[in-house]
Amino acid sequence: MKKILVTGGTGYIGSHTVVELRQKGYDVIIVDNLSNSSIEVLDNIAAITGTKPLFEKLDLAEREVTLDFFARHTDIEAVIHFAAYKAVGESVEQPLKYYRNNLFSLINILDGMLENRISNMVFSSSCTVYGQPDELPVTEQAPIKQAMSPYGNTKQISEEILRDTTNVNKNLNAICLRYFNPIGAHESAKIGELPLGVPNNLVPFITQTAIGIRPQLKVFGDDYPTPDGTPIRDYIHVVDLAKAHVVAVDRMLNEKMKKNCEVFNLGTGNGFSVLEVIKSFEKVAGVKLNYKIVDRRPGDITEVWADTSFANRELGWKAEKGLDEMTLSAWKWELALAEKKKNKIR
Ligand code: UFG
């Protein structure tokens, strides 16, 4: 069995990817510092796949421990690198925290890979690199815009680090996956998004409001130049996204890459407004959501959705799940969390 290192594998997208990798017969080792995830996720992965993945708790921003990890695990065939801080607002407040963590970890991992002749990395990038694109849908060739936050800048710089490093190390392969807006949860409702504290993102805020953890959802602005005035995003089911990572690993290990550093958009190609997401949620959950329109959130762009034709064609991958399936799975996950909490209290 080929062994894949998944950094950030107890996190939201990481845990779903571990499940898909296991189901395709890959061996997985997870590294995570558990700064934004729980060790219990390993049991939940095991409940879905039948086996608990190998796990090491360590901080990849620490150079010595990271190099030591790679020296002890020379049988790794590919690395999927998710581990990173991701809160846009926090990154504005604490830029050095973001640059230190997100960039040091990437550099340390690449050094560890090069020292031990590990040739393949799949990197978590983001559509944030496009800013507000001039043309929609946005293709991978669209210009990279000035980053709107230190978080976004870490994604841009990371892509540059990968491009420059693969340029001089022809045996090193990188695939950068630019995610649009991942939402939803595994159909088993055993893994999903677990935001620490108040969620920044729309869908966890919706489900937490519906279940009564938050009193009200604030909709940030309805005066955008869109049909209903609220911003438009390309929401993609996290399981569709996870599957794309497995396809990317297959592509690398089967030597199907056209160049040794590739970039793909991962979205559905469809844009939905904030109010459309709320409507979908209300319909599938049968719940009336308490929300109010407030001022715009600084830094939000008006609209973005992906041109997915390159990923569809080259990877032979296509997002399959629609918006209602996404919002319903997110709701089932929130209900499962509430049930778990109730049983703990009892
Ligand atoms: N929104 C609300 N109320 C909330 C939360 C969000 O109205 O409580 C709105 C936002 O204003 C935005 C939409 O819902 O219009 C989506 O917001 P999210 O925070 O869920 O997602 P973003 O598109 O802002 O951010 C996502 C990722 C970031 C990434 C960015 C790139 O979470 O990591 O896409 O565009 F940087």
Side-chain angles (χ1 to χ4, degrees):
M1 256 197 293
K2 292 186 169 159
K3 190 186 269 183
I4 313 298
L5 166 62
V6 181
T7 77
T10 49
Y12 174 43
I13 306 172
S15 58
H16 287 83
T17 302
V18 170
V19 166
E20 297 304 316
L21 284 167
R22 292 291 303 129
Q23 289 176 341
K24 286 278 176 197
Y26 284 105
D27 203 2
V28 172
I29 178 160
I30 295 175
V31 164
D32 203 300
N33 66 2
L34 300 176
S35 65
N36 191 20
S37 61
S38 158
I39 191 79
E40 283 170 31
V41 169
L42 296 177
D43 291 325
N44 303 337
I45 291 172
I48 301 170
T49 63
T51 46
K52 203 164 160 171
L54 294 174
F55 173 79
E56 279 195 34
K57 180 176 183 238
L58 63 89
D59 192 338
L60 295 155
E62 286 180 27
R63 188 168 178 80
E64 294 313 317
V65 290
T66 303
L67 295 182
D68 172 68
F69 172 86
F70 278 100
R72 287 185 288 109
H73 295 278
T74 48
D75 57 342
I76 289 168
E77 306 236 3
V79 179
I80 309 183
H81 180 37
F82 292 106
Y85 292 148
K86 61 174 184 181
V88 177
E90 186 186 54
S91 80
V92 175
E93 300 298 321
Q94 301 181 61
L96 291 180
K97 174 174 172 177
Y98 275 68
Y99 288 117
R100 189 180 301 115
N101 186 61
N102 294 5
L103 300 180
F104 283 10
S105 59
L106 176 64
I107 292 166
N108 292 340
I109 292 167
L110 286 172
D111 275 332
M113 290 173 67
L114 289 170
E115 272 179 22
N116 294 283
R117 295 177 206 283
I118 299 167
S119 302
N120 301 298
M121 167 175 286
V122 178
F123 177 71
S124 278
S125 190
S126 166
C127 70
T128 194
V129 302
Y130 300 120
Q132 174 61 68
D134 301 324
E135 281 173 42
L136 289 169
V138 62
T139 71
E140 289 84 353
Q141 277 72 50
I144 301 299
K145 294 272 179 76
Q146 165 98 48
M148 314 253 268
S149 68
Y151 159 77
N153 208 17
T154 68
K155 293 298 174 191
Q156 293 190 4
I157 297 169
S158 295
E159 285 198 9
E160 287 169 8
I161 290 173
L162 286 166
R163 203 189 49 221
D164 293 344
T165 312
T166 51
N167 197 27
V168 288
N169 295 281
K170 294 297 176 199
N171 292 326
L172 185 68
N173 300 312
I175 295 183
C176 297
L177 300 176
R178 292 179 180 158
Y179 310 154
F180 283 66
N181 285 55
I183 60 168
H186 193 263
E187 60 176 3
S188 64
K190 293 187 191 307
I191 53 171
E193 195 167 3
L194 271 174
L196 263 190
V198 184
N200 293 305
N201 298 114
L202 177 64
V203 169
F205 211 108
I206 289 178
T207 58
Q208 288 197 3
T209 305
I211 207 123
I213 298 174
R214 313 272 155 216
Q216 189 175 53
L217 168 76
K218 294 188 180 85
V219 171
F220 297 130
D222 69 347
D223 57 351
Y224 286 89
T226 61
D228 66 19
T230 62
I232 294 174
R233 298 287 184 272
D234 185 338
Y235 296 93
I236 174 170
H237 197 294
V238 66
V239 172
D240 278 330
L241 194 72
K243 285 180 175 162
H245 292 75
V246 182
V247 172
V249 166
D250 289 343
R251 179 178 176 85
M252 296 180 133
L253 298 184
N254 295 320
E255 297 176 12
K256 298 257 173 65
M257 291 176 71
K258 300 272 163 69
K259 16 180 220 173
N260 70 333
C261 186
E262 295 180 326
V263 176
F264 296 100
N265 281 344
L266 296 185
T268 65
N270 303 312
F272 290 101
S273 73
V274 174
L275 291 179
E276 283 174 321
V277 175
I278 292 173
K279 274 188 206 123
S280 160
F281 173 80
E282 290 187 324
K283 182 179 75 184
V284 300
V287 172
K288 191 95 196 78
L289 197 72
N290 181 18
Y291 69 88
K292 89 166 179 206
I293 311 287
V294 301
D295 286 348
R296 291 183 180 196
R297 181 170 69 177
D300 275 347
I301 58 165
T302 303
E303 53 187 357
V304 67
W305 61 93
D307 183 326
T308 62
S309 50
F310 184 58
N312 298 158
R313 194 177 64 241
E314 273 299 312
L315 297 177
W317 164 91
K318 199 172 185 336
E320 284 165 359
K321 297 176 194 289
L323 182 63
D324 288 350
E325 223 176 319
M326 300 184 213
T327 51
L328 180 59
S329 68
W331 180 230
K332 286 186 173 162
W333 165 240
E334 192 69 62
L335 291 171
L337 281 177
E339 192 59 33
K340 231 181 181 173
K341 218 160 132 196
K342 214 164 73 190
N343 291 336
K344 264 191 189 158
I345 292 165
R346 266 190 203 139

PDB file of all heavy atoms in Angstrom, residues 303-331:
ATOM      1  N   GLU A 303     -18.369  38.724  -6.255  1.00  0.00           N
ATOM      2  CA  GLU A 303     -18.755  37.428  -6.815  1.00  0.00           C
ATOM      3  C   GLU A 303     -17.555  36.684  -7.384  1.00  0.00           C
ATOM      4  O   GLU A 303     -16.627  37.288  -7.920  1.00  0.00           O
ATOM      5  CB  GLU A 303     -19.841  37.579  -7.881  1.00  0.00           C
ATOM      6  CG  GLU A 303     -19.489  38.565  -8.973  1.00  0.00           C
ATOM      7  CD  GLU A 303     -20.632  38.837  -9.916  1.00  0.00           C
ATOM      8  OE1 GLU A 303     -21.703  38.219  -9.779  1.00  0.00           O
ATOM      9  OE2 GLU A 303     -20.445  39.667 -10.827  1.00  0.00           O
ATOM     10  N   VAL A 304     -17.599  35.367  -7.251  1.00  0.00           N
ATOM     11  CA  VAL A 304     -16.579  34.530  -7.884  1.00  0.00           C
ATOM     12  C   VAL A 304     -17.140  33.127  -8.084  1.00  0.00           C
ATOM     13  O   VAL A 304     -17.864  32.618  -7.224  1.00  0.00           O
ATOM     14  CB  VAL A 304     -15.277  34.488  -7.040  1.00  0.00           C
ATOM     15  CG1 VAL A 304     -15.437  33.784  -5.709  1.00  0.00           C
ATOM     16  CG2 VAL A 304     -14.125  33.859  -7.825  1.00  0.00           C
ATOM     17  N   TRP A 305     -16.911  32.593  -9.251  1.00  0.00           N
ATOM     18  CA  TRP A 305     -17.159  31.176  -9.448  1.00  0.00           C
ATOM     19  C   TRP A 305     -16.143  30.643 -10.458  1.00  0.00           C
ATOM     20  O   TRP A 305     -15.545  31.399 -11.203  1.00  0.00           O
ATOM     21  CB  TRP A 305     -18.611  30.851  -9.815  1.00  0.00           C
ATOM     22  CG  TRP A 305     -19.138  31.451 -11.071  1.00  0.00           C
ATOM     23  CD1 TRP A 305     -19.141  30.902 -12.311  1.00  0.00           C
ATOM     24  CD2 TRP A 305     -19.800  32.731 -11.189  1.00  0.00           C
ATOM     25  NE1 TRP A 305     -19.733  31.762 -13.205  1.00  0.00           N
ATOM     26  CE2 TRP A 305     -20.153  32.890 -12.544  1.00  0.00           C
ATOM     27  CE3 TRP A 305     -20.122  33.751 -10.293  1.00  0.00           C
ATOM     28  CZ2 TRP A 305     -20.803  34.021 -13.011  1.00  0.00           C
ATOM     29  CZ3 TRP A 305     -20.768  34.894 -10.767  1.00  0.00           C
ATOM     30  CH2 TRP A 305     -21.111  35.008 -12.103  1.00  0.00           C
ATOM     31  N   ALA A 306     -15.949  29.342 -10.431  1.00  0.00           N
ATOM     32  CA  ALA A 306     -14.814  28.732 -11.127  1.00  0.00           C
ATOM     33  C   ALA A 306     -15.150  28.327 -12.548  1.00  0.00           C
ATOM     34  O   ALA A 306     -16.262  27.866 -12.834  1.00  0.00           O
ATOM     35  CB  ALA A 306     -14.361  27.489 -10.366  1.00  0.00           C
ATOM     36  N   ASP A 307     -14.155  28.469 -13.419  1.00  0.00           N
ATOM     37  CA  ASP A 307     -14.175  27.711 -14.667  1.00  0.00           C
ATOM     38  C   ASP A 307     -13.500  26.389 -14.306  1.00  0.00           C
ATOM     39  O   ASP A 307     -12.319  26.365 -13.961  1.00  0.00           O
ATOM     40  CB  ASP A 307     -13.385  28.451 -15.750  1.00  0.00           C
ATOM     41  CG  ASP A 307     -13.453  27.722 -17.095  1.00  0.00           C
ATOM     42  OD1 ASP A 307     -13.501  26.471 -17.077  1.00  0.00           O
ATOM     43  OD2 ASP A 307     -13.464  28.390 -18.133  1.00  0.00           O
ATOM     44  N   THR A 308     -14.255  25.314 -14.357  1.00  0.00           N
ATOM     45  CA  THR A 308     -13.720  24.024 -13.895  1.00  0.00           C
ATOM     46  C   THR A 308     -13.286  23.150 -15.061  1.00  0.00           C
ATOM     47  O   THR A 308     -12.942  21.989 -14.862  1.00  0.00           O
ATOM     48  CB  THR A 308     -14.778  23.263 -13.072  1.00  0.00           C
ATOM     49  OG1 THR A 308     -15.896  23.009 -13.924  1.00  0.00           O
ATOM     50  CG2 THR A 308     -15.234  24.063 -11.869  1.00  0.00           C
ATOM     51  N   SER A 309     -13.317  23.700 -16.291  1.00  0.00           N
ATOM     52  CA  SER A 309     -13.104  22.819 -17.452  1.00  0.00           C
ATOM     53  C   SER A 309     -11.713  22.178 -17.456  1.00  0.00           C
ATOM     54  O   SER A 309     -11.564  21.021 -17.840  1.00  0.00           O
ATOM     55  CB  SER A 309     -13.388  23.554 -18.763  1.00  0.00           C
ATOM     56  OG  SER A 309     -12.717  24.776 -18.782  1.00  0.00           O
ATOM     57  N   PHE A 310     -10.699  22.911 -16.980  1.00  0.00           N
ATOM     58  CA  PHE A 310      -9.344  22.347 -16.982  1.00  0.00           C
ATOM     59  C   PHE A 310      -9.259  21.163 -16.008  1.00  0.00           C
ATOM     60  O   PHE A 310      -8.756  20.087 -16.364  1.00  0.00           O
ATOM     61  CB  PHE A 310      -8.337  23.450 -16.615  1.00  0.00           C
ATOM     62  CG  PHE A 310      -6.908  23.019 -16.687  1.00  0.00           C
ATOM     63  CD1 PHE A 310      -6.367  22.514 -17.868  1.00  0.00           C
ATOM     64  CD2 PHE A 310      -6.080  23.116 -15.576  1.00  0.00           C
ATOM     65  CE1 PHE A 310      -5.036  22.110 -17.930  1.00  0.00           C
ATOM     66  CE2 PHE A 310      -4.749  22.722 -15.626  1.00  0.00           C
ATOM     67  CZ  PHE A 310      -4.231  22.216 -16.805  1.00  0.00           C
ATOM     68  N   ALA A 311      -9.786  21.352 -14.809  1.00  0.00           N
ATOM     69  CA  ALA A 311      -9.776  20.252 -13.811  1.00  0.00           C
ATOM     70  C   ALA A 311     -10.622  19.079 -14.316  1.00  0.00           C
ATOM     71  O   ALA A 311     -10.228  17.911 -14.193  1.00  0.00           O
ATOM     72  CB  ALA A 311     -10.295  20.746 -12.468  1.00  0.00           C
ATOM     73  N   ASN A 312     -11.778  19.387 -14.892  1.00  0.00           N
ATOM     74  CA  ASN A 312     -12.656  18.320 -15.394  1.00  0.00           C
ATOM     75  C   ASN A 312     -11.953  17.487 -16.458  1.00  0.00           C
ATOM     76  O   ASN A 312     -11.972  16.261 -16.439  1.00  0.00           O
ATOM     77  CB  ASN A 312     -13.957  18.897 -15.987  1.00  0.00           C
ATOM     78  CG  ASN A 312     -14.815  19.655 -14.978  1.00  0.00           C
ATOM     79  OD1 ASN A 312     -15.635  20.476 -15.348  1.00  0.00           O
ATOM     80  ND2 ASN A 312     -14.616  19.406 -13.691  1.00  0.00           N
ATOM     81  N   ARG A 313     -11.294  18.188 -17.372  1.00  0.00           N
ATOM     82  CA  ARG A 313     -10.654  17.515 -18.498  1.00  0.00           C
ATOM     83  C   ARG A 313      -9.376  16.794 -18.073  1.00  0.00           C
ATOM     84  O   ARG A 313      -9.201  15.606 -18.312  1.00  0.00           O
ATOM     85  CB  ARG A 313     -10.329  18.580 -19.561  1.00  0.00           C
ATOM     86  CG  ARG A 313      -9.961  18.042 -20.914  1.00  0.00           C
ATOM     87  CD  ARG A 313      -9.726  19.166 -21.920  1.00  0.00           C
ATOM     88  NE  ARG A 313      -8.597  20.007 -21.579  1.00  0.00           N
ATOM     89  CZ  ARG A 313      -8.671  21.313 -21.338  1.00  0.00           C
ATOM     90  NH1 ARG A 313      -9.832  21.942 -21.382  1.00  0.00           N
ATOM     91  NH2 ARG A 313      -7.577  22.006 -21.048  1.00  0.00           N
ATOM     92  N   GLU A 314      -8.501  17.512 -17.394  1.00  0.00           N
ATOM     93  CA  GLU A 314      -7.170  16.971 -17.083  1.00  0.00           C
ATOM     94  C   GLU A 314      -7.210  15.948 -15.947  1.00  0.00           C
ATOM     95  O   GLU A 314      -6.486  14.966 -15.971  1.00  0.00           O
ATOM     96  CB  GLU A 314      -6.226  18.114 -16.688  1.00  0.00           C
ATOM     97  CG  GLU A 314      -5.547  18.766 -17.862  1.00  0.00           C
ATOM     98  CD  GLU A 314      -4.681  17.806 -18.662  1.00  0.00           C
ATOM     99  OE1 GLU A 314      -3.889  17.068 -18.055  1.00  0.00           O
ATOM    100  OE2 GLU A 314      -4.816  17.789 -19.891  1.00  0.00           O
ATOM    101  N   LEU A 315      -8.019  16.216 -14.944  1.00  0.00           N
ATOM    102  CA  LEU A 315      -8.055  15.296 -13.792  1.00  0.00           C
ATOM    103  C   LEU A 315      -9.106  14.203 -13.994  1.00  0.00           C
ATOM    104  O   LEU A 315      -9.097  13.196 -13.293  1.00  0.00           O
ATOM    105  CB  LEU A 315      -8.376  16.055 -12.488  1.00  0.00           C
ATOM    106  CG  LEU A 315      -7.375  17.117 -12.025  1.00  0.00           C
ATOM    107  CD1 LEU A 315      -7.894  17.821 -10.766  1.00  0.00           C
ATOM    108  CD2 LEU A 315      -6.006  16.499 -11.728  1.00  0.00           C
ATOM    109  N   GLY A 316     -10.032  14.438 -14.930  1.00  0.00           N
ATOM    110  CA  GLY A 316     -11.143  13.496 -15.079  1.00  0.00           C
ATOM    111  C   GLY A 316     -11.987  13.501 -13.806  1.00  0.00           C
ATOM    112  O   GLY A 316     -12.543  12.490 -13.393  1.00  0.00           O
ATOM    113  N   TRP A 317     -12.090  14.669 -13.203  1.00  0.00           N
ATOM    114  CA  TRP A 317     -12.833  14.829 -11.942  1.00  0.00           C
ATOM    115  C   TRP A 317     -13.883  15.911 -12.127  1.00  0.00           C
ATOM    116  O   TRP A 317     -13.655  16.886 -12.834  1.00  0.00           O
ATOM    117  CB  TRP A 317     -11.856  15.259 -10.837  1.00  0.00           C
ATOM    118  CG  TRP A 317     -12.530  15.822  -9.618  1.00  0.00           C
ATOM    119  CD1 TRP A 317     -12.936  15.145  -8.511  1.00  0.00           C
ATOM    120  CD2 TRP A 317     -12.880  17.203  -9.390  1.00  0.00           C
ATOM    121  NE1 TRP A 317     -13.510  16.018  -7.610  1.00  0.00           N
ATOM    122  CE2 TRP A 317     -13.498  17.276  -8.133  1.00  0.00           C
ATOM    123  CE3 TRP A 317     -12.746  18.381 -10.138  1.00  0.00           C
ATOM    124  CZ2 TRP A 317     -13.982  18.465  -7.584  1.00  0.00           C
ATOM    125  CZ3 TRP A 317     -13.226  19.579  -9.606  1.00  0.00           C
ATOM    126  CH2 TRP A 317     -13.825  19.605  -8.339  1.00  0.00           C
ATOM    127  N   LYS A 318     -15.037  15.701 -11.501  1.00  0.00           N
ATOM    128  CA  LYS A 318     -16.078  16.718 -11.577  1.00  0.00           C
ATOM    129  C   LYS A 318     -16.838  16.715 -10.253  1.00  0.00           C
ATOM    130  O   LYS A 318     -17.130  15.629  -9.720  1.00  0.00           O
ATOM    131  CB  LYS A 318     -17.040  16.363 -12.717  1.00  0.00           C
ATOM    132  CG  LYS A 318     -17.877  17.505 -13.206  1.00  0.00           C
ATOM    133  CD  LYS A 318     -18.630  17.070 -14.469  1.00  0.00           C
ATOM    134  CE  LYS A 318     -19.430  18.132 -15.147  1.00  0.00           C
ATOM    135  NZ  LYS A 318     -19.912  19.266 -14.460  1.00  0.00           N
ATOM    136  N   ALA A 319     -17.121  17.890  -9.721  1.00  0.00           N
ATOM    137  CA  ALA A 319     -17.939  17.955  -8.503  1.00  0.00           C
ATOM    138  C   ALA A 319     -19.340  17.455  -8.847  1.00  0.00           C
ATOM    139  O   ALA A 319     -19.891  17.811  -9.889  1.00  0.00           O
ATOM    140  CB  ALA A 319     -17.998  19.385  -7.992  1.00  0.00           C
ATOM    141  N   GLU A 320     -19.884  16.596  -7.995  1.00  0.00           N
ATOM    142  CA  GLU A 320     -21.163  15.960  -8.324  1.00  0.00           C
ATOM    143  C   GLU A 320     -22.337  16.448  -7.490  1.00  0.00           C
ATOM    144  O   GLU A 320     -23.474  16.334  -7.892  1.00  0.00           O
ATOM    145  CB  GLU A 320     -21.034  14.438  -8.126  1.00  0.00           C
ATOM    146  CG  GLU A 320     -20.270  13.794  -9.258  1.00  0.00           C
ATOM    147  CD  GLU A 320     -19.815  12.383  -8.946  1.00  0.00           C
ATOM    148  OE1 GLU A 320     -20.069  11.892  -7.825  1.00  0.00           O
ATOM    149  OE2 GLU A 320     -19.188  11.788  -9.844  1.00  0.00           O
ATOM    150  N   LYS A 321     -22.062  16.973  -6.314  1.00  0.00           N
ATOM    151  CA  LYS A 321     -23.160  17.260  -5.387  1.00  0.00           C
ATOM    152  C   LYS A 321     -23.671  18.689  -5.531  1.00  0.00           C
ATOM    153  O   LYS A 321     -22.892  19.630  -5.662  1.00  0.00           O
ATOM    154  CB  LYS A 321     -22.713  17.002  -3.957  1.00  0.00           C
ATOM    155  CG  LYS A 321     -22.363  15.525  -3.717  1.00  0.00           C
ATOM    156  CD  LYS A 321     -21.845  15.315  -2.328  1.00  0.00           C
ATOM    157  CE  LYS A 321     -21.174  13.985  -2.150  1.00  0.00           C
ATOM    158  NZ  LYS A 321     -22.066  12.838  -2.165  1.00  0.00           N
ATOM    159  N   GLY A 322     -24.985  18.827  -5.486  1.00  0.00           N
ATOM    160  CA  GLY A 322     -25.631  20.127  -5.640  1.00  0.00           C
ATOM    161  C   GLY A 322     -25.766  20.848  -4.298  1.00  0.00           C
ATOM    162  O   GLY A 322     -25.458  20.293  -3.235  1.00  0.00           O
ATOM    163  N   LEU A 323     -26.266  22.089  -4.386  1.00  0.00           N
ATOM    164  CA  LEU A 323     -26.333  22.934  -3.188  1.00  0.00           C
ATOM    165  C   LEU A 323     -27.198  22.321  -2.081  1.00  0.00           C
ATOM    166  O   LEU A 323     -26.818  22.336  -0.904  1.00  0.00           O
ATOM    167  CB  LEU A 323     -26.868  24.331  -3.569  1.00  0.00           C
ATOM    168  CG  LEU A 323     -26.942  25.331  -2.426  1.00  0.00           C
ATOM    169  CD1 LEU A 323     -25.557  25.631  -1.848  1.00  0.00           C
ATOM    170  CD2 LEU A 323     -27.598  26.638  -2.888  1.00  0.00           C
ATOM    171  N   ASP A 324     -28.370  21.754  -2.442  1.00  0.00           N
ATOM    172  CA  ASP A 324     -29.248  21.196  -1.397  1.00  0.00           C
ATOM    173  C   ASP A 324     -28.573  20.046  -0.664  1.00  0.00           C
ATOM    174  O   ASP A 324     -28.711  19.895   0.553  1.00  0.00           O
ATOM    175  CB  ASP A 324     -30.565  20.697  -2.013  1.00  0.00           C
ATOM    176  CG  ASP A 324     -31.461  21.858  -2.445  1.00  0.00           C
ATOM    177  OD1 ASP A 324     -31.148  23.011  -2.107  1.00  0.00           O
ATOM    178  OD2 ASP A 324     -32.472  21.587  -3.137  1.00  0.00           O
ATOM    179  N   GLU A 325     -27.810  19.246  -1.414  1.00  0.00           N
ATOM    180  CA  GLU A 325     -27.095  18.131  -0.782  1.00  0.00           C
ATOM    181  C   GLU A 325     -26.028  18.664   0.190  1.00  0.00           C
ATOM    182  O   GLU A 325     -25.782  18.089   1.252  1.00  0.00           O
ATOM    183  CB  GLU A 325     -26.430  17.304  -1.882  1.00  0.00           C
ATOM    184  CG  GLU A 325     -26.568  15.817  -1.687  1.00  0.00           C
ATOM    185  CD  GLU A 325     -25.970  15.060  -2.862  1.00  0.00           C
ATOM    186  OE1 GLU A 325     -26.163  15.480  -4.019  1.00  0.00           O
ATOM    187  OE2 GLU A 325     -25.315  14.059  -2.604  1.00  0.00           O
ATOM    188  N   MET A 326     -25.431  19.775  -0.217  1.00  0.00           N
ATOM    189  CA  MET A 326     -24.386  20.369   0.642  1.00  0.00           C
ATOM    190  C   MET A 326     -25.000  20.889   1.939  1.00  0.00           C
ATOM    191  O   MET A 326     -24.507  20.602   3.035  1.00  0.00           O
ATOM    192  CB  MET A 326     -23.696  21.534  -0.080  1.00  0.00           C
ATOM    193  CG  MET A 326     -23.025  21.156  -1.382  1.00  0.00           C
ATOM    194  SD  MET A 326     -22.136  22.585  -2.072  1.00  0.00           S
ATOM    195  CE  MET A 326     -22.340  22.283  -3.824  1.00  0.00           C
ATOM    196  N   THR A 327     -26.073  21.673   1.812  1.00  0.00           N
ATOM    197  CA  THR A 327     -26.641  22.285   3.026  1.00  0.00           C
ATOM    198  C   THR A 327     -27.280  21.207   3.914  1.00  0.00           C
ATOM    199  O   THR A 327     -27.196  21.286   5.138  1.00  0.00           O
ATOM    200  CB  THR A 327     -27.670  23.386   2.679  1.00  0.00           C
ATOM    201  OG1 THR A 327     -28.620  22.857   1.749  1.00  0.00           O
ATOM    202  CG2 THR A 327     -26.988  24.599   2.080  1.00  0.00           C
ATOM    203  N   LEU A 328     -27.879  20.176   3.294  1.00  0.00           N
ATOM    204  CA  LEU A 328     -28.485  19.113   4.108  1.00  0.00           C
ATOM    205  C   LEU A 328     -27.409  18.351   4.888  1.00  0.00           C
ATOM    206  O   LEU A 328     -27.569  18.058   6.076  1.00  0.00           O
ATOM    207  CB  LEU A 328     -29.288  18.142   3.217  1.00  0.00           C
ATOM    208  CG  LEU A 328     -29.958  16.993   3.973  1.00  0.00           C
ATOM    209  CD1 LEU A 328     -30.940  17.522   5.027  1.00  0.00           C
ATOM    210  CD2 LEU A 328     -30.701  16.046   3.013  1.00  0.00           C
ATOM    211  N   SER A 329     -26.282  18.063   4.237  1.00  0.00           N
ATOM    212  CA  SER A 329     -25.235  17.310   4.947  1.00  0.00           C
ATOM    213  C   SER A 329     -24.656  18.150   6.084  1.00  0.00           C
ATOM    214  O   SER A 329     -24.306  17.625   7.145  1.00  0.00           O
ATOM    215  CB  SER A 329     -24.137  16.843   3.978  1.00  0.00           C
ATOM    216  OG  SER A 329     -23.408  17.944   3.486  1.00  0.00           O
ATOM    217  N   ALA A 330     -24.564  19.470   5.869  1.00  0.00           N
ATOM    218  CA  ALA A 330     -24.065  20.350   6.939  1.00  0.00           C
ATOM    219  C   ALA A 330     -25.034  20.325   8.124  1.00  0.00           C
ATOM    220  O   ALA A 330     -24.631  20.311   9.292  1.00  0.00           O
ATOM    221  CB  ALA A 330     -23.903  21.776   6.420  1.00  0.00           C
ATOM    222  N   TRP A 331     -26.343  20.291   7.813  1.00  0.00           N
ATOM    223  CA  TRP A 331     -27.350  20.284   8.871  1.00  0.00           C
ATOM    224  C   TRP A 331     -27.325  18.957   9.641  1.00  0.00           C
ATOM    225  O   TRP A 331     -27.375  18.927  10.875  1.00  0.00           O
ATOM    226  CB  TRP A 331     -28.728  20.561   8.267  1.00  0.00           C
ATOM    227  CG  TRP A 331     -29.868  20.593   9.242  1.00  0.00           C
ATOM    228  CD1 TRP A 331     -31.049  19.921   9.133  1.00  0.00           C
ATOM    229  CD2 TRP A 331     -29.966  21.360  10.456  1.00  0.00           C
ATOM    230  NE1 TRP A 331     -31.876  20.205  10.185  1.00  0.00           N
ATOM    231  CE2 TRP A 331     -31.220  21.094  11.019  1.00  0.00           C
ATOM    232  CE3 TRP A 331     -29.108  22.237  11.117  1.00  0.00           C
ATOM    233  CZ2 TRP A 331     -31.654  21.671  12.221  1.00  0.00           C
ATOM    234  CZ3 TRP A 331     -29.521  22.822  12.319  1.00  0.00           C
ATOM    235  CH2 TRP A 331     -30.775  22.530  12.854  1.00  0.00           C
TER     236      TRP A 331
END
